[in-house]
Amino acid sequence: MNDITFKINGQEITVPEGTTILEAARMKNIDIPTLCYLKGINEIGACRMCLVEIAGARALQAACVYPVANGIEVLTNSPKVQNARKVNLSLILSDHNRECTTCVRSENCELQALAKELDVEDIPYQGAKSGVTIDDMSTSIVRDETKCILCKRCQSVCNQVQGVGVLGAVGRGFNSQVQPVFGRSLAEVGCINCGQCIINCPVGALKEKSNIQDVWDAINDPTKTVIVETAPAVRAALGEEFGNKMGEPCTGKMAAALRRLGFDKVFDTDFGADVTIMEEGYELLGRLQNGGVLPMITSCSPGWIKFVETYYPEFIPNLSSCKSPQNMTGALLKSHYAQMNNIDPKDMVVVSVMPCTAKKYEVQREELAVDGNQDVDISITTRELARMIKSARIMYNNLPDEDFDAYYGDSTGAAVIFGATGGVMEAAVRTLADVLNKKRHPGN
Amino acid sequence: MAYKRSQILICGGTGCTSSGSVKLVQELKKELVKHDILDEIEVIQTGCFGLCELGPVVIVYPEGTFYSRVAVEDIAEMVEEHLVKGRVLDRLVYSEKGDGHHPLSINELGFFKKQRRIALANCGVINPENIDEYIGFDGYLALEKVLKTMTPQEVIDEVKASGLRGRGGGGFPTGLKWQFAHNAVSPDGIKYVACNADEGDPGAFMDRSVLEGDPHAVIEAMAIAGYAVGAGKGYVYVRAEYPIAVHRLQIAIDQAKEYGILGENIFGTDFAFDLEIRLGAGAFVCGEETALMNSIEGKRGEPRPRPPFPANKGLFERPTVLNNVETYANIPKIMLNGGAWFASVGTEKSKGTKVFALGGKINNTGLLEIPMGTTLREIIYEIGGGIPNGKEFKAAQTGGPSGGCLPASALDTEIDYDNLIAAGSMMGSGGLIVMDEDNCMVDIAHFFLEFTQDESCGKCPPCRIGTKRMLEILEDICGGRGKEGDIERLQELAEGIKASALCGLGQTAPNPVLATIKFFRDEYEAHINEKKCPAGVCKALLDFAIDEEKCKGCGICAKKCPVDAISGEKKKPHVIDTAKCIKCGTCIEACPFGAITKA
């Protein structure tokens, strides 16, 4: 591949052919703002925030998609660029629901950050707003058109990465929206509730369906025993919400906070994960020995399960019949634990804290219940837990480290590797190896 | 071939078809049978003659008698008089000056005198549904010449020498475009030729007329382009709202295939070329080249960023040549007569001719083709026959929603790509709308912006939101809510949108507003500052009143008023209740004494 030499803000720079202006600029520590750009996923040059001036070109060009060429002279901060960016950002803001104070993405919003960074103090353009629909019918995802800026990141992730494709552009001009087909709700189309759209939304147009109030209601009901189980990922992510280093484990503070929120018992989903591994390992063994359907595919992810059910039903027999760790834990709590502790399962509320919005969908699946009593009653995300801790004014960072409650808080290393790609099956196979070799694998 | 003593040409373009020309053909044949002369006379339904204002148009050869506004009821008499007795039926012959002077042939008409027909050469001359007629007029001779005697590079060089520039509006040199696609390397050797027939400017029907009147010219040109760039497959992207054009093009493609002009081993050479029609679903933005390609590929009609340009990565990511209908229609003539011949017509930087669809406040509404360099004055006053009802010319709008307007001071502009841009407008695809003193220029700007706003694909904020904000300001100005600073806000937004929109539609959408501000700023100011619409168009700014001195108290206005807003005693001056008045103008039309004013 050839090298390309060109100038950016007067600096000469040589980069490989095919590099975009945006990439080249960032190599030179020159930042260019973006909103719609997602490398490799959404390179559509739509939002026009990354416009740069190229000497001799008629109009400004989108740096995110413009491949560098020999001899071009790029200006990333000329008066023309500054003005166009400001007009453009003002226009986006003029069609955006700017109730930032009550927005879940406030202080974590790319649009809000850009408005600050580009020094937009007032918005000279006012007028009609395009989006009106707030779709909150899904168990997992709330889609708020009043905040959507049509960057189409959600659409690209849903289509190209997840292979689901329930979001797409409809309508024209000012009435354009990114919606499910025929204006339906996400609950009525083949959405698998995976939440990747939420992760990639730069603003608050997509968010998880909040179940915080349901949890408070349960905690505040004196007749209920409220038990919380937390997935392994939560202890690695929660600290970030309180300004701590990304990925730093905080199991002790998390358990302490959960107890202070008023949960009667604080358990670990890893317990259920261990049970899942044993079940799944034996199921695989059974399939291998009895000519069952192979390959066997794990069943821990409710998004994946719905994806198979909706788009590839021919592979349903390949799915493990095991419940996910979330529901394995819930089912054991409402049967074994309830029996041991003399609690009527109907008076028990199991809350799970999960890193995935599809878990909200899973907990209400009717086959995951006994006598109309769901294995897990409420599922909240790590973000929701953080919001609960904050609103309860718990000084999280000053909390002592505490342990999970006994028995259902215990687990092995097999459960911990669940979160990694291929981890579930590795854990199952390791367990199976122990069973067949009749000795313990050093890692287990 | 049987000898015919007379040929009757009936216009079968969309305009004349909608004014009943199909029925004329049926009636004519019926009458010919009645007189037992059907064998002697040939009835031919052609494409557009151009003088749509006078349709349905019938021309009888060999005399070339030009009958206009022919009705079904006229046919019996026409056959009896002209074809049986040999006497021209005077009452139906078009008399240009209304002085009874009947031109012997259409070439005598002022409408045709200054025209030069290259792209439209066969329109209104041949039966577009008969490939033999096209061949009879040298059709497919150019393709044969190209395939048998020229290399692809020689073809491109000839196009370059002709100076032909894209007739869709951009004006990009066609030869250069072909050269890029010729030079581009395709990963699997596949390249494409595409034709943009997604004509969508309000009032424009140049491309429709070419496809309706001479579809084989486009097929022949696309095959030539295919040979030049190394493509074996072509797509014609045409709007579904053009049913006659689509129908005739399909017939032409089928006939060309039957004759071996499309398919394998064309004219006994190794060259193979196939054509397919793709129907557009009515989105204006699909006339933008990258959106058009997305649409052909079955995706949402949204522009994609350039580069990569279509010549390198176009349809299905392969090198693609895309030209518009009129551009292609010139190609066979250039190949037959040489690039130098074409370049001898026109101005220094704009060669050849340009087809315009002339409409609005003009006597001769229709389709015309003029050599580049013809002045706007010649088009409007000589070809167009001037403004109806003795009204004053105010402006001519060119370039459709992407263009601008030219005021009276620009009447002597010699029309070509560069002069029109210098004058504050643009060539565009060829829509030319004439406005007189009764047109409000703010209202015109509003009209075009409403159009682009509606047709924006919604992909980028400057176009999606910016044009909406501009439209809202214009709505305020026209609605009497204009405020100081609105003009400046419009200009600032316009410049921002022009600089930052993703595609040509957005980048040019503010042009009608900028042009009208430039030339008619006083009208904007009257709307904003005095809350008046000088042309009397913007209803919110009008007050209807009855002149006491002129009013005779006849009561006709009161009777006609649909909302009972007018009252008064008989034989005494009446008054209008402005609170009730809906400003419909019925009273003005009804008053026999011209006593009602709006201002």
Side-chain angles (χ1 to χ4, degrees):
Chain A
M1 194 169 268
N2 300 324
D3 278 348
I4 304 281
T5 301
F6 72 107
K7 272 187 182 169
I8 187 157
N9 296 348
Q11 279 179 278
E12 195 163 274
I13 169 171
T14 301
V15 295
E17 190 178 355
T19 309
T20 62
I21 291 177
L22 178 71
E23 290 166 332
R26 287 181 177 170
M27 283 176 201
K28 273 278 170 189
N29 292 322
I30 295 169
D31 193 34
I32 295 172
T34 59
L35 266 181
C36 71
Y37 176 72
L38 270 187
K39 187 169 171 55
I41 298 169
N42 200 43
E43 298 178 353
I44 60 174
C47 78
R48 316 309 283 170
M49 285 314 304
C50 68
L51 291 175
V52 293
E53 190 171 348
I54 298 174
R58 204 170 40 159
L60 300 175
Q61 301 292 336
C64 71
V65 288
Y66 200 98
V68 293
N70 272 317
I72 59 169
E73 288 182 35
V74 179
L75 296 174
T76 69
N77 200 31
S78 68
K80 196 174 172 186
V81 169
Q82 282 183 348
N83 182 57
R85 275 185 199 153
K86 221 163 180 171
V87 169
N88 193 37
L89 186 56
S90 298
L91 286 170
I92 295 172
L93 290 167
S94 79
D95 188 31
H96 179 71
N97 174 354
R98 298 196 302 280
E99 291 178 2
C100 294
T101 48
T102 53
C103 182
V104 72
R105 289 295 299 273
S106 186
E107 296 183 353
N108 177 24
C109 168
E110 293 179 34
L111 183 64
Q112 192 185 45
L114 267 187
K116 273 199 163 167
E117 287 163 17
L118 297 191
D119 197 25
V120 175
E121 284 194 340
D122 61 342
I123 297 153
Y125 319 115
Q126 309 290 342
K129 299 268 173 78
S130 62
V132 287
T133 306
I134 297 175
D135 170 17
D136 61 356
M137 282 167 66
S138 159
T139 52
S140 307
I141 298 166
V142 177
R143 205 176 55 78
D144 182 350
E145 286 177 0
T146 71
K147 291 177 181 167
C148 177
I149 57 167
L150 275 92
C151 69
K152 298 185 183 163
R153 278 158 52 163
C154 57
Q155 176 185 330
S156 291
V157 167
C158 187
N159 281 267
Q160 293 161 34
V161 180
Q162 299 301 81
V164 173
V166 293
L167 289 170
V170 299
R172 286 210 300 236
F174 193 65
N175 300 318
S176 300
Q177 292 297 337
V178 176
Q179 284 178 342
V181 69
F182 302 133
R184 293 200 179 160
S185 162
L186 279 173
E188 299 167 319
V189 296
C191 169
I192 61 164
N193 308 290
C194 68
Q196 287 303 307
C197 54
I198 301 175
I199 292 176
N200 289 289
C201 179
V203 294
L206 288 155
K207 61 180 180 184
E208 68 266 70
K209 177 87 160 267
S210 172
N211 293 104
I212 291 176
Q213 192 55 46
D214 300 334
V215 178
W216 285 128
D217 289 348
I219 288 173
N220 294 329
D221 184 342
T223 67
K224 302 288 185 193
T225 302
V226 186
I227 300 177
V228 65
E229 52 156 316
T230 65
V234 181
R235 70 206 61 171
L238 184 65
E240 202 186 324
E241 291 276 354
F242 297 94
N244 301 322
K245 223 175 91 188
M246 194 189 285
E248 198 172 79
C250 56
T251 319
K253 285 193 174 20
M254 178 184 76
L258 288 166
R259 217 160 264 134
R260 278 154 185 74
L261 285 173
F263 288 106
D264 295 310
K265 290 288 171 190
V266 180
F267 289 142
D268 191 350
T269 307
D270 279 0
F271 181 91
D274 273 336
V275 179
T276 307
I277 287 311
M278 286 185 276
E279 284 288 316
E280 207 164 297
Y282 278 104
E283 185 181 4
L284 177 60
L285 191 60
R287 289 193 187 206
L288 287 167
Q289 289 172 340
N290 305 321
V293 177
L294 292 169
M296 190 177 87
I297 304 172
T298 60
S299 58
C300 296
S301 159
W304 158 245
I305 297 292
K306 196 175 176 196
F307 182 74
V308 172
E309 288 173 331
T310 311
Y311 300 99
Y312 297 97
E314 63 271 32
F315 291 118
I316 290 176
N318 294 70
L319 294 175
S320 163
S321 64
C322 293
K323 291 182 178 184
S324 71
Q326 169 187 255
N327 278 64
M328 202 68 92
T329 307
L332 286 168
L333 287 171
K334 287 205 175 172
S335 54
H336 174 254
Y337 181 86
Q339 217 172 17
M340 280 203 348
N341 292 282
N342 232 349
I343 305 168
D344 183 345
K346 288 190 172 56
D347 291 330
M348 184 188 279
V349 176
V350 176
V351 176
S352 70
V353 186
M354 294 283 139
C356 173
T357 51
K359 291 288 175 187
K360 291 173 182 285
Y361 166 75
E362 184 182 25
V363 299
Q364 52 84 57
R365 287 188 69 134
E366 55 185 27
E367 67 272 34
L368 299 179
V370 175
D371 300 332
N373 196 352
Q374 298 293 133
D375 294 343
V376 178
D377 298 281
I378 306 164
S379 180
I380 60 172
T381 63
T382 311
R383 286 185 291 257
E384 287 173 273
L385 174 60
R387 295 212 294 275
M388 287 184 72
I389 296 170
K390 285 175 188 169
S391 77
R393 314 306 288 172
I394 293 168
M395 298 173 79
Y396 175 87
N397 284 321
N398 297 341
L399 288 174
D401 285 345
E402 292 182 8
D403 285 333
F404 286 114
D405 285 308
Y407 304 128
Y408 278 81
D410 292 344
S411 62
T412 72
V416 175
I417 60 171
F418 256 59
T421 301
V424 176
M425 205 38 99
E426 188 184 334
V429 171
R430 275 202 218 169
T431 305
L432 199 55
D434 284 1
V435 170
L436 292 174
N437 293 329
K438 297 195 168 51
K439 66 174 186 194
R440 200 173 170 86
H441 184 279
N444 289 353
Chain B
M1 206 168 162
Y3 170 77
K4 307 273 184 181
R5 70 171 164 90
S6 181
Q7 284 165 323
I8 304 177
L9 272 50
I10 299 184
C11 177
T14 288
C16 286
T17 300
S18 57
S19 52
S21 70
V22 176
K23 277 187 188 149
L24 293 189
V25 175
Q26 294 161 353
E27 186 69 14
L28 197 54
K29 287 187 174 161
K30 215 169 80 188
E31 287 297 318
L32 294 176
V33 169
K34 208 195 258 171
H35 292 279
D36 199 19
I37 50 173
L38 189 63
D39 291 347
E40 302 165 29
I41 289 156
E42 192 171 17
V43 180
I44 302 162
Q45 190 159 30
T46 69
C48 183
F49 289 109
L51 244 177
C52 309
E53 181 71 26
L54 303 177
V57 171
V58 177
I59 299 179
V60 181
Y61 282 104
E63 302 89 336
T65 310
F66 187 91
Y67 291 117
S68 65
R69 292 192 182 129
V70 181
V72 176
E73 301 75 48
D74 298 324
I75 294 293
E77 190 185 356
M78 182 194 284
V79 170
E80 170 96 31
E81 283 296 303
H82 194 138
L83 299 169
V84 176
K85 297 179 181 163
R87 296 193 296 226
V88 170
L89 182 59
D90 278 351
R91 70 172 180 89
L92 284 180
V93 177
Y94 176 58
S95 168
E96 195 168 32
K97 291 176 184 151
D99 58 0
H101 171 73
H102 295 162
L104 284 178
S105 84
I106 62 168
N107 296 325
E108 263 189 59
L109 288 173
F111 181 77
F112 291 103
K113 251 189 239 168
K114 292 231 159 172
Q115 293 198 44
R116 167 108 191 232
R117 297 195 152 208
I118 297 174
L120 297 179
N122 288 335
C123 285
V125 177
I126 64 167
N127 175 358
E129 297 184 13
N130 186 343
I131 189 171
D132 291 332
E133 295 204 13
Y134 180 68
I135 292 170
F137 280 78
D138 294 343
Y140 292 113
L141 214 55
L143 180 60
E144 186 182 22
K145 174 182 172 186
V146 162
L147 295 183
K148 288 185 172 169
T149 68
M150 294 170 82
T151 65
Q153 188 56 50
E154 283 168 348
V155 175
I156 294 169
D157 289 341
E158 207 60 50
V159 178
K160 281 183 185 168
S162 75
L164 177 66
R165 292 168 68 174
R167 298 297 195 239
F172 192 82
T174 307
L176 211 52
K177 202 183 235 186
W178 290 22
Q179 186 74 64
F180 289 151
H182 172 87
N183 294 350
V185 179
S186 166
D188 53 6
I190 295 176
K191 296 184 184 182
Y192 294 102
V193 171
C195 174
N196 186 346
D198 192 55
E199 184 173 55
D201 289 6
F205 53 96
M206 299 75 57
D207 297 339
R208 185 191 75 202
S209 301
V210 172
L211 285 178
E212 286 175 358
D214 197 15
H216 285 286
V218 176
I219 296 172
E220 182 174 12
M222 289 181 74
I224 292 170
Y227 176 73
V229 305
K233 169 107 197 180
Y235 290 94
V236 183
Y237 188 85
V238 52
R239 348 175 46 199
E241 296 94 321
Y242 282 179
I244 298 176
V246 172
H247 176 69
R248 291 190 185 149
L249 182 63
Q250 190 60 58
I251 290 174
I253 290 174
D254 293 345
Q255 287 174 345
K257 281 183 183 168
E258 200 187 310
Y259 275 50
I261 289 167
L262 287 177
E264 306 287 325
N265 302 113
I266 298 171
F267 287 114
T269 67
D270 291 341
F271 180 63
F273 191 74
D274 194 18
L275 258 190
E276 210 178 294
I277 298 177
R278 287 290 166 102
L279 295 187
F284 177 71
V285 71
C286 288
E288 195 280 340
E289 61 178 11
T290 58
L292 181 148
M293 290 177 186
N294 267 354
S295 183
I296 289 181
E297 291 173 18
K299 299 174 187 157
R300 178 175 161 93
E302 271 182 359
R304 38 200 205 207
R306 298 178 306 180
F309 287 94
N312 293 314
K313 256 189 183 182
L315 267 175
F316 306 104
E317 307 218 317
R318 302 299 189 285
T320 302
V321 152
L322 175 72
N323 291 122
N324 106 312
V325 173
E326 187 190 337
T327 313
Y328 280 128
N330 285 299
I331 294 290
K333 307 286 188 307
I334 291 171
M335 289 302 132
L336 275 184
N337 304 323
W341 161 82
F342 189 81
S344 70
V345 182
T347 64
E348 194 197 333
K349 286 186 176 166
S350 303
K351 302 299 184 190
T353 58
K354 179 76 194 90
V355 180
F356 283 98
L358 187 60
K361 305 287 182 63
I362 190 86
N363 278 317
N364 297 336
T365 301
L367 188 73
L368 52 103
E369 181 172 357
I370 44 125
M372 295 280 190
T374 306
T375 65
L376 193 57
R377 189 184 298 282
E378 287 171 295
I379 293 181
I380 290 169
Y381 289 100
E382 296 183 42
I383 299 171
I387 318 280
N389 308 318
K391 298 271 185 179
E392 278 291 309
F393 169 86
K394 186 188 245 180
Q397 217 281 346
T398 67
S402 304
C405 57
L406 299 163
S409 60
L411 271 173
D412 292 310
T413 305
E414 291 183 351
I415 289 182
D416 73 5
Y417 288 99
D418 310 293
N419 286 345
L420 282 182
I421 287 171
S425 187
M426 66 182 278
M427 180 76 86
S429 60
L432 207 167
I433 300 169
V434 181
M435 283 158 290
D436 70 7
E437 54 195 278
D438 291 341
N439 288 104
C440 165
M441 298 313 285
V442 187
D443 180 61
I444 295 289
H446 177 267
F447 169 82
F448 279 109
L449 203 63
E450 193 172 32
F451 179 85
T452 30
Q453 160 59 203
D454 205 41
E455 294 293 345
S456 160
C457 80
K459 185 170 176 178
C460 75
C463 183
R464 181 181 72 242
I465 311 170
T467 58
K468 175 72 175 177
R469 296 292 173 251
M470 287 183 73
L471 184 66
E472 286 167 341
I473 295 173
L474 285 173
E475 279 166 357
D476 280 351
I477 294 175
C478 293
R481 300 178 301 276
K483 50 191 180 299
E484 209 186 312
D486 275 353
I487 297 178
E488 290 70 24
R489 242 185 306 278
L490 280 173
Q491 286 172 319
E492 183 193 80
L493 266 171
E495 292 306 333
I497 294 167
K498 277 172 78 109
S500 55
L502 172 64
C503 80
L505 187 148
Q507 286 163 12
T508 58
N511 284 351
V513 179
L514 287 175
T516 47
I517 291 178
K518 181 178 173 190
F519 294 119
F520 301 96
R521 195 185 175 102
D522 53 335
E523 288 195 35
Y524 279 85
E525 285 167 350
H527 282 72
I528 295 167
N529 301 332
E530 297 150 41
K531 303 284 182 272
K532 289 285 172 204
C533 175
V537 172
C538 299
K539 277 189 184 172
L541 302 180
L542 296 179
D543 278 324
F544 283 66
I546 298 175
D547 185 333
E548 277 183 37
E549 293 188 2
K550 286 186 184 165
C551 179
K552 308 276 188 232
C554 69
I556 290 178
C557 59
K559 215 177 279 173
K560 294 261 170 139
C561 176
V563 291
D564 290 331
I566 304 178
S567 58
E569 285 178 41
K570 263 223 152 8
K571 297 194 176 171
K572 286 193 176 157
H574 282 42
V575 285
I576 298 176
D577 181 349
T578 49
K580 280 189 187 170
C581 174
I582 57 165
K583 302 166 183 181
C584 65
T586 304
C587 54
I588 294 186
E589 278 171 37
C591 178
F593 310 105
I596 302 175
T597 58
K598 58 173 182 180

